[in-house]
Amino acid sequence: MVTKRVKNSKPNIILIYADDLGIGLLGHEGQSIIKTPNIDQLAKEGLRFTNAFSNMLCAPARASLITGLHDCHAVKFEITPGGMYKKISTQGFNHKEIGRSIESELSPIPEENVFLGQVAKEAEYTTTQIGKLEWGFSTTHQQMERHGWGSYYGYLDHVRAHGFYPPFLFENGNLVNIEGNTLSNAGKSGEPETPENYKERNNKDGKKHYSQNLFMDKALDFMDANKDNPFLLYFPTQLPHGPVAIPKIHPDFVDDKRLTPIEKEYASMVKMLDDNVGQIMNKLKELKIDDNTMVIFTADNGHEIYYAQEGRIEKPYANIMSGERFDNVEHKYYSDLSGDVFDGNGGRAGMKRSNLQGGIQVPLIVRWPAKIEAGRTSDRLIANYDLLVTIAETTGFLRPFNTDGISFYDALINQSKGKEHEFVVYSSYTGPTLITHEGWKIRTDLEKEVFELFYLPDDFREERDLSEQRPKKREELKRKLLAACEGDLHNGFFNDKGSILKVSNTAKR
């Protein structure tokens, strides 16, 4: 149980949550092709955490963020199927009936449960969420309200959010038609790259309004309207999640001979995200609220390839020279073996969906000129489920609540260290992983009976399994991992024991 203390002056809070942004895609993390000056400037002017982690996949990552809980408990996050709201276009269903169908399968939310928007709202903040909403894969108006969002605008369905030209979005319980966007799949393009997919992707018929532009307009309008009162703006963007879609190639890449056409388009998506960060920062300065606004920039999980092309980089992931599939045990994924020109995981092993570093290590930057000394870095162990409790402390939320997170507010203001994590824990498709504050990591592939042990300060690429050399350390961490998984390591299997709900197809026209 934790209790928060009240602040004398409440800062605005903007949480920018990038989607599938590999840590290696940022300039200050070593990216050499895509320039990200605005995100790099955040790091220069704020505090950059070098040891931050999130879940290996979108839905559990967003659930952990919003609830402050890790995803290895016996009671799993209830994750709904995607594609529910597509039935509005394809089968003529009413969105309210779809919402009721989803709600009928969800367990009632206990009154004592506390959520990200709620802590700010109860601390008298104006709260909004704009973009790819909630943890999905399909959510409802009732969930949005219960989680504390005073307003919202965007996709209620993460599968539909794989297209960037939606025929409709949702705003505060209402369906909003987007004139000129006519495609039921929201303009989702095909993968991998082929001449046919290239032609379809660049056919702009029915693709008048790009969703990220709509979201930016809403975000800037919200800042304008709430400049005189404390606000929480949660901005879960689609970028740079694919399939690839962009209105036009950024000038930086038009003549870049290192890149294929689809790689240029993908790079332009990352570039648009950086430009959006610049727009937000410029608006803060324009409104003269820059000094007392906390801007948090992070991502939901590791890198993913959306620009696969035969002979260039391929999916399912394989060694581009030998054709051998990566199994992430005997043959781990690395960018130089796969052919990824961007090295999106920054030299780490693994990708999204993996419990290797490339799947779960994420960027985390916090800028707040009134409180945070510029240009600092911290190697403090941070989990994405720490953000809820940190925001609760920042806003002055008073009620105690259950959380796996630990506030890192003290690290932000550079005061003496308070309580820190002994370790953080995450699930994956192969089983759980645990990382200690000292840098030890145990990762599992339960079906293969694999328990690998790494010391990350000396081996961030996870190339040297120390489980045989350090059997006592391995057994110590196995015990801690088992305890964190509440006595059953299979609680660290994502989608194990019914975390994905089976929502019936009973919505009425």
Side-chain angles (χ1 to χ4, degrees):
M1 303 289 283
V2 293
T3 304
K4 306 295 159 257
R5 63 177 181 266
V6 178
K7 298 284 162 284
N8 294 325
S9 178
K10 294 176 184 286
N12 306 307
I13 301 172
I14 299 175
L15 171 54
I16 304 168
Y17 204 54
D19 197 352
D20 287 8
L21 180 79
I23 194 169
L25 292 173
L26 300 176
H28 65 270
E29 295 284 356
Q31 176 58 220
S32 60
I33 295 175
I34 307 169
K35 294 180 173 61
T36 56
N38 295 299
I39 300 171
D40 297 345
Q41 190 66 24
L42 279 183
K44 290 178 183 177
E45 296 178 355
L47 172 59
R48 179 169 66 94
F49 290 92
T50 61
N51 203 21
F53 292 88
S54 185
N55 311 64
M56 52 87 216
L57 189 70
C58 169
R62 293 160 196 269
S64 284
L65 175 77
I66 290 168
T67 65
L69 301 172
H70 68 65
D71 64 346
C72 293
H73 291 291
V75 177
K76 312 300 288 182
F77 294 131
E78 293 187 339
I79 297 173
T80 55
M84 297 295 291
Y85 291 95
K86 186 178 179 180
K87 298 172 184 176
I88 294 171
S89 295
T90 60
Q91 300 177 42
F93 287 136
N94 178 279
H95 73 279
K96 293 184 178 179
E97 287 292 335
I98 292 172
R100 283 194 286 271
S101 179
I102 295 170
E103 285 289 329
S104 70
E105 300 296 330
L106 293 168
S107 301
I109 299 174
E111 185 176 344
E112 65 269 18
N113 285 23
V114 170
F115 301 95
L116 182 67
Q118 181 184 354
V119 299
K121 189 174 183 179
E122 291 192 20
E124 301 183 343
Y125 274 62
T126 302
T127 62
T128 196
Q129 183 177 170
I130 299 169
K132 183 175 176 178
L133 306 176
E134 290 298 288
W135 71 61
F137 292 111
S138 297
T139 190
T140 70
H141 175 67
Q142 289 79 8
Q143 282 181 307
M144 298 297 294
E145 284 193 322
R146 175 63 180 85
H147 293 170
W149 304 111
S151 64
Y152 64 86
Y153 178 78
Y155 294 90
L156 292 177
D157 185 328
H158 288 198
V159 170
R160 289 187 60 252
H162 294 170
F164 286 78
Y165 297 93
F168 58 86
L169 292 168
F170 293 97
E171 186 168 25
N172 307 330
N174 299 312
L175 185 148
V176 179
N177 289 305
I178 309 299
E179 185 178 354
N181 288 2
T182 61
L183 303 176
S184 64
N185 68 351
K188 179 180 177 179
S189 59
E191 297 181 81
E193 180 72 326
T194 63
E196 294 75 21
N197 285 337
Y198 174 84
K199 182 178 179 180
E200 184 276 332
R201 188 172 67 252
N202 286 280
N203 179 355
K204 300 303 181 183
D205 292 344
K207 302 176 182 177
K208 184 176 181 180
H209 296 287
Y210 190 72
S211 55
Q212 189 68 12
N213 292 331
L214 299 173
F215 299 151
M216 275 306 306
D217 289 344
K218 283 288 182 181
L220 298 176
D221 288 347
F222 175 84
M223 294 165 67
D224 273 323
N226 294 280
K227 64 182 184 296
D228 296 325
N229 301 296
F231 63 78
L232 167 62
L233 165 57
Y234 174 37
F235 191 42
T237 87
Q238 291 169 272
L239 296 172
H241 195 296
V244 167
I246 195 76
K248 62 180 180 180
I249 294 174
H250 191 278
D252 281 5
F253 312 115
V254 170
D255 297 319
D256 193 328
K257 299 187 184 307
R258 294 171 293 182
L259 305 179
T260 65
I262 194 169
E263 290 169 348
K264 293 178 181 181
E265 293 175 49
Y266 177 81
S268 298
M269 294 172 74
V270 178
K271 191 70 178 178
M272 176 177 278
L273 173 62
D274 186 74
D275 288 344
N276 289 165
V277 171
Q279 288 176 269
I280 289 171
M281 302 311 298
N282 289 337
K283 175 60 72 171
L284 289 175
K285 293 179 175 67
E286 174 192 321
L287 297 175
K288 296 180 170 53
I289 58 174
D290 174 65
D291 190 57
N292 198 35
T293 298
M294 176 192 289
V295 177
I296 305 168
F297 179 88
T298 188
D300 61 347
N301 48 246
H303 186 50
E304 173 73 302
I305 301 295
Y306 293 106
Y307 39 90
Q309 190 168 357
E310 185 176 358
R312 179 72 169 179
I313 183 171
E314 299 184 355
K315 291 172 71 174
Y317 298 129
N319 186 306
I320 198 64
M321 297 302 294
S322 69
E324 183 177 33
R325 296 274 185 90
F326 298 115
D327 64 5
N328 283 333
V329 178
E330 295 295 329
H331 306 285
K332 292 186 174 72
Y333 174 98
Y334 293 101
S335 295
D336 56 344
L337 300 180
S338 73
D340 179 17
V341 67
F342 299 115
D343 187 19
N345 61 12
R348 294 160 181 81
M351 298 281 275
K352 174 181 176 178
R353 300 181 182 86
S354 165
N355 59 18
L356 291 161
Q357 293 295 91
I360 60 175
Q361 189 171 7
V362 294
L364 175 61
I365 303 166
V366 187
R367 178 191 183 273
W368 181 12
K371 295 286 186 179
I372 295 177
E373 180 183 351
R376 290 169 50 217
T377 61
S378 172
D379 63 358
R380 178 166 170 164
L381 181 62
I382 301 290
N384 61 328
Y385 45 86
D386 294 335
L387 282 163
L388 169 61
V389 66
T390 303
I391 288 173
E393 181 168 9
T394 303
T395 61
F397 181 78
L398 290 173
R399 288 199 286 119
F401 62 95
N402 289 319
T403 179
D404 294 315
I406 296 175
S407 173
F408 54 88
Y409 182 85
D410 59 324
L412 299 181
I413 61 175
N414 205 17
Q415 288 188 349
S416 59
K417 290 183 178 181
K419 182 181 179 183
E420 297 185 27
H421 283 293
E422 179 187 359
F423 58 80
V424 298
V425 62
Y426 290 103
S427 78
S428 79
Y429 282 106
T430 65
T433 190
L434 179 148
I435 301 162
T436 76
H437 69 95
E438 298 169 321
W440 286 101
K441 174 177 179 178
I442 187 169
R443 69 173 291 260
T444 64
D445 188 319
L446 297 181
E447 292 183 353
K448 297 177 182 177
E449 300 182 347
V450 167
F451 292 85
E452 290 187 318
L453 179 70
F454 300 104
Y455 184 60
L456 297 174
D458 293 341
D459 184 24
F460 83 101
R461 286 172 58 87
E462 296 171 278
E463 293 175 309
R464 298 186 295 277
D465 177 14
L466 301 177
S467 57
E468 292 188 6
Q469 293 96 312
R470 298 292 299 270
K472 290 184 179 179
K473 176 61 71 172
R474 183 187 67 176
E475 292 308 307
E476 172 196 340
L477 297 187
K478 280 179 69 174
R479 288 193 297 271
K480 291 179 178 180
L481 183 59
L482 182 63
C485 293
E486 299 179 354
D488 186 351
L489 292 178
H490 287 83
N491 289 333
F493 257 135
F494 179 74
N495 195 23
D496 195 24
K497 299 183 186 285
S499 63
I500 303 293
L501 296 178
K502 303 296 184 182
V503 177
S504 59
N505 189 10
T506 58
K508 304 295 184 184
R509 288 183 176 85

